[in-house]
Amino acid sequence: MANIKSQIKRNRQNDRAKERNRAVRSEVRTRIKAAETAIEEGADNAQEVVASAIKRIDVAAQKRVLHRNTAARAKSRLMHKLHAAS
């Protein structure tokens, strides 16, 4: 446990950021999984589901929860699957 006041505050900030980042990453993974499922099933709204997943990936990268190259790779894989299915 930290004794320094500024470090105690920093620990609180880190804990809040960790929870926020975990929630964002979880949502991104959920949207990616939903998009992949929609693509595999050949759903009519697969294009829209992929678009919403890409949007969330972009937001996560903008907030620096995901690295920009990781985001680009995830988007590329989704688009590749979408085009291969159609």
Side-chain angles (χ1 to χ4, degrees), residues 27-28 31-32 34-36 38-39 44-60 74-75 78-79 82-83:
E27 184 176 0
V28 166
R31 298 264 181 138
I32 289 173
E36 288 174 346
I39 291 168
D44 296 334
N45 64 342
Q47 187 94 23
E48 298 164 11
V49 176
V50 169
S52 70
I54 287 176
K55 189 171 186 178
R56 294 309 292 181
I57 292 169
D58 283 336
V59 170
K75 290 171 13 181
L78 272 179
M79 291 307 292
L82 182 64
H83 290 304

